[in-house]
Amino acid sequence: MENKPIARTLRLLSQLMELHEENSFKIRSVANASFKVDKLPFNVADKTPAELETVDGIGKSTASKITELLQTGTIKELQTLIEKTPEGVMEMMAIKGIGPKKVGVIWREMGIENTGELLYACNENRLIELKGFGAKTQAEIIKAIEFRMASNGKFLFAQVEQQAHDFMGQLKAVFPEALKHIAGEFRRYNEVISELSIVIGNNNREMALDTLEQSDLLKSVKMIDNHVTGELENGLLVDITCVEKGEYFKTLFLNTGTDEHVQAVLDRLSEPLDQPESEEMIYKKAGLQWIQPELREGDTYIEKAAQDALPKLITLTDLKGSLHNHSTWSDGVHTVEEMALYCRDVMKLEYLGMCDHSRTAVYAKGLNIERVLQQHEEIDHLNKKLDGFHIFKGIESDILNDGSLDYPEEILQRFDFIVASVHSNLKMDIDKATTRLIKAIENPYTTILGHPTGRLLLSRNGYQIDHKKVIDACAANNVVIEINANPLRLDLDWRWQQYALDKGVWLSINPDAHRKEGHHDMQFGVYAARKGGLYKERCLNALSLQQIQEVFKQKRA
């Protein structure tokens, strides 16, 4: 074994010892030995244990650890510490800008066990509340995590949306006369993007290919047949297909939908596609209503399109209010009034639903009963003060381990509406997790089921639940299901939204905003909702102020 892997092993041991708050002298001793071994001019493996003990900076104790590593391939003490440490916490220690001591604080005081949870906490502005942290450290951690997430070749849609549109702007400048459009998973508004697919229709295909190959629009450019591939500055792969204009709409169709969707449409054609003048013509020839790109996942909507029964998909302008938001009362950045004014004056909405964290969420400054009452007084005052706008008294109540909500009944009945969410004990098996949710759904005070699986895209899988049972329970108990619009969540997953709609369940596109600008995340929720087939007539916050007041009134009754 070479010196470097030995040094890395000792360094990991010292970091885990520091994480678990062991003797500081021993930690320094192992850390110093790690540094020393890495710089030695000879191979440590060639030395006897007695010789190692005499090396300056190693000593008897560390020499025995190195000998154990050389003889067995590991160090028992290290293995014991690894077994005591969640895998995600080990991953957090590799993030630039935070050492083992800070990781220990994040883990023990905030209950965060992986990088996805850490990124979400940073976005909710929670880290700056911890001793030894600040806004600058929080910003550096966000940057480091996003860089690590990008290195696996996958990106959140929100991470690349602007870059994709900027790149299309550059292509338009290079090919002003050409037909061009983004296709693939980006055009379908997939929540995770691994490649940006673009189709260009030009009168001279060869010239277009040569222009792209010689330009500096992309890094690592390659040309294969009629494709030019490369990547953007952030590492996102790009595949540009160049065709003659007559082949453009056929190629755009073929490159937009999933293979299953494309084949389902082609199977309905009685003659070859040739050179259609639009995508609409392709669907018309197949006897189908034109299917929006975001619905071109599999064959789910083929029969509805055949019956001219596709929904008119929801848009951002359909939304009249913003529900499930956090203020400075818990872990938000802005006050209730600042959030309200932003929704009224910038977002042009009619109402705001405040849902600060409940008392069990101590890591997020959850509201005890006294603070709930104080916040309600403030909201009453603001509602008298604000013209043409209303603030609803909500709470994001933690769903406790047994499925109960976080306050006694006399407090629950004071809220206009309640978002019930799971934030703790995410490792229940599917039966226990499902039972827990259903009990919360059956609570008569639950208005909305918040982020049903707790997933964090690209970093934490949601806890396993029986989606059908949970959705059926919401249908039976008149509980709305949230589409959490935070780009890291987008939960309820679009793949289950159609089932919910078929069961008569209403959905709500909630930003889970922790700052004023967070309300704009509703756009990403709209994208996810459109993929699920949502239309405004079944979206809770597409109701007018008067309509939603009546809904909340009936629920409380």
Side-chain angles (χ1 to χ4, degrees):
M1 185 180 290
E2 300 294 326
N3 283 6
K4 279 198 178 294
I6 295 172
R8 282 197 297 267
T9 303
L10 290 174
R11 184 167 183 269
L12 177 60
L13 174 59
S14 70
Q15 290 174 327
L16 287 174
M17 291 169 70
E18 186 176 357
L19 176 74
H20 289 281
E21 299 178 319
E22 298 200 356
N23 183 283
S24 59
F25 175 78
K26 290 182 178 179
I27 294 170
R28 282 197 303 273
S29 176
V30 175
N32 290 338
S34 168
F35 179 80
K36 186 71 177 180
V37 168
D38 191 37
K39 303 298 180 184
L40 288 174
F42 54 83
N43 196 336
V44 169
D46 295 335
K47 302 293 182 180
T48 66
E51 289 173 328
L52 284 177
E53 290 178 18
T54 64
V55 176
D56 181 43
I58 292 183
K60 186 175 181 179
S61 176
T62 307
S64 67
K65 291 179 173 62
I66 294 172
T67 301
E68 182 185 359
L69 176 63
L70 291 171
Q71 291 176 349
T72 67
T74 188
I75 300 172
K76 188 176 180 180
E77 183 180 355
L78 174 62
Q79 288 306 119
T80 301
L81 291 172
I82 289 174
E83 289 168 8
K84 289 168 58 178
T85 312
E87 185 179 342
V89 174
M90 297 276 290
E91 185 182 345
M92 283 197 292
M93 289 204 302
I95 297 171
K96 185 178 179 181
I98 50 173
K101 189 171 289 185
K102 285 187 175 179
V103 170
V105 172
I106 292 167
W107 176 27
R108 280 185 284 272
E109 294 191 19
M110 301 184 71
I112 290 173
E113 292 192 353
N114 61 55
T115 54
E117 293 173 354
L118 178 56
L119 178 59
Y120 191 77
C122 288
N123 287 335
E124 292 186 336
N125 216 44
R126 287 187 200 156
L127 247 65
I128 62 173
E129 302 291 336
L130 290 177
K131 186 178 180 180
F133 293 80
K136 184 178 179 182
T137 301
Q138 182 173 267
E140 289 173 351
I141 291 172
I142 292 172
K143 188 175 180 181
I145 295 175
E146 288 182 342
F147 179 81
R148 287 172 65 85
M149 290 171 67
S151 67
N152 68 10
K154 294 183 178 181
F155 298 79
L156 300 178
F157 181 95
Q159 286 178 305
V160 298
E161 183 183 32
Q162 190 58 54
Q163 291 96 321
H165 290 309
D166 289 346
F167 183 68
M168 283 302 294
Q170 292 175 305
L171 284 181
K172 288 175 183 177
V174 175
F175 303 107
E177 303 300 323
L179 298 170
K180 46 205 160 298
H181 210 293
I182 298 176
E185 53 195 10
F186 187 91
R187 191 180 181 207
R188 297 198 307 273
Y189 293 131
N190 283 22
E191 61 271 44
V192 173
I193 306 296
S194 57
E195 179 185 77
L196 186 63
S197 174
I198 296 170
V199 178
I200 293 179
N202 200 63
N203 286 330
N204 189 329
R205 189 190 75 173
E206 298 303 324
M207 184 187 74
L209 289 166
D210 290 342
T211 300
L212 286 168
E213 187 179 27
Q214 295 169 21
S215 75
D216 58 358
L217 294 176
L218 295 170
K219 296 165 58 180
S220 306
V221 176
K222 294 179 183 177
M223 187 165 71
I224 306 172
D225 297 326
N226 66 329
H227 293 261
V228 173
T229 64
E231 58 184 59
L232 301 180
E233 286 295 328
N234 62 357
L236 177 63
L237 297 177
V238 178
D239 182 3
I240 303 174
T241 306
C242 296
V243 295
E244 300 292 336
K245 279 191 174 181
E247 296 291 321
Y248 173 75
F249 289 106
K250 173 184 175 180
T251 307
L252 182 62
F253 162 74
L254 294 174
N255 282 272
T256 293
T258 63
D259 291 344
E260 187 181 3
H261 175 86
V262 169
Q263 193 57 54
V265 176
L266 294 177
D267 287 345
R268 300 177 71 94
L269 292 172
S270 57
E271 56 186 50
L273 274 181
D274 294 329
Q275 295 187 345
E277 296 177 2
S278 67
E279 281 191 312
E280 285 85 347
M281 183 178 290
I282 298 171
Y283 285 94
K284 186 176 181 180
K285 285 186 175 182
L288 300 170
Q289 183 182 359
W290 184 64
I291 298 179
Q292 294 271 14
E294 47 268 63
L295 298 181
R296 301 183 199 177
E297 302 274 355
D299 60 359
T300 304
Y301 292 94
I302 295 293
E303 286 307 314
K304 287 189 177 183
Q307 298 166 19
D308 199 24
L310 288 175
K312 183 180 179 183
L313 299 179
I314 194 163
T315 66
L316 185 63
T317 56
D318 289 327
L319 303 185
K320 305 302 180 188
S322 177
L323 303 173
H324 186 175
N325 302 287
H326 301 264
S327 72
T328 49
W329 280 93
S330 61
D331 58 348
V333 176
H334 294 109
T335 65
V336 175
E337 183 173 12
E338 288 171 328
M339 296 285 272
L341 290 173
Y342 193 85
C343 283
R344 186 190 71 177
D345 301 337
V346 178
M347 303 295 294
K348 306 301 181 185
L349 299 173
E350 299 177 13
Y351 52 87
L352 167 71
M354 288 312 309
C355 289
D356 279 298
H357 286 283
S358 63
R359 59 184 178 179
T360 295
V362 292
Y363 57 87
K365 297 192 299 180
L367 278 61
N368 60 29
I369 292 175
E370 182 182 359
R371 295 179 69 226
V372 166
L373 301 178
Q374 290 171 350
Q375 187 189 56
H376 285 188
E377 286 183 11
E378 179 185 343
I379 291 174
D380 286 337
H381 170 72
L382 289 170
N383 278 332
K384 293 175 183 177
K385 175 181 173 182
L386 297 173
D387 292 329
F389 193 83
H390 189 79
I391 304 170
F392 287 107
K393 301 169 187 172
I395 196 77
E396 184 178 19
S397 172
D398 267 34
I399 297 175
L400 306 182
N401 286 343
D402 64 355
S404 59
L405 300 188
D406 203 7
Y407 295 106
E409 185 171 347
E410 60 267 25
I411 298 301
L412 294 175
Q413 65 188 7
R414 289 175 174 268
F415 295 105
D416 294 318
F417 74 109
I418 292 173
V419 175
S421 307
V422 168
H423 291 109
S424 60
N425 198 357
L426 307 181
K427 297 177 182 177
M428 288 183 173
D429 64 44
I430 187 169
D431 291 334
K432 287 183 179 178
T434 300
T435 300
R436 178 190 194 183
L437 285 187
I438 290 176
K439 182 175 178 181
I441 291 164
E442 290 175 344
N443 188 306
Y445 293 102
T446 298
T447 317
I448 302 172
L449 177 63
H451 44 73
T453 72
R455 75 177 185 183
L456 295 174
L457 292 166
L458 294 182
S459 51
R460 182 180 79 193
N461 293 327
Y463 41 86
Q464 294 294 307
I465 61 172
D466 186 322
H467 279 82
K468 289 187 176 180
K469 285 184 178 179
V470 169
I471 292 170
D472 290 349
C474 287
N477 291 276
N478 192 28
V479 168
V480 177
I481 300 180
E482 171 179 87
I483 301 173
N484 190 293
N486 186 302
L488 278 161
R489 289 194 183 274
L490 299 179
D491 182 20
L492 179 69
D493 190 299
W494 60 266
R495 295 164 184 83
W496 285 102
Q497 291 172 26
Q498 188 60 55
Y499 180 83
L501 293 171
D502 290 344
K503 289 292 181 176
V505 176
W506 282 59
L507 304 175
S508 184
I509 301 172
N510 297 342
D512 200 353
H514 286 69
R515 51 175 57 80
K516 294 185 296 186
E517 298 78 12
H519 296 288
H520 293 286
D521 282 350
M522 287 196 289
Q523 178 65 77
F524 302 113
V526 168
Y527 292 154
R530 288 173 66 87
K531 286 187 71 64
L534 181 61
Y535 41 96
K536 70 177 183 180
E537 290 79 10
R538 292 284 287 284
C539 178
L540 179 66
N541 57 318
L543 295 176
S544 69
L545 173 58
Q546 291 73 26
Q547 290 171 324
I548 202 168
Q549 282 177 322
E550 185 60 31
V551 168
F552 289 160
K553 181 180 177 181
Q554 290 177 3
K555 179 70 177 179
R556 289 199 309 277

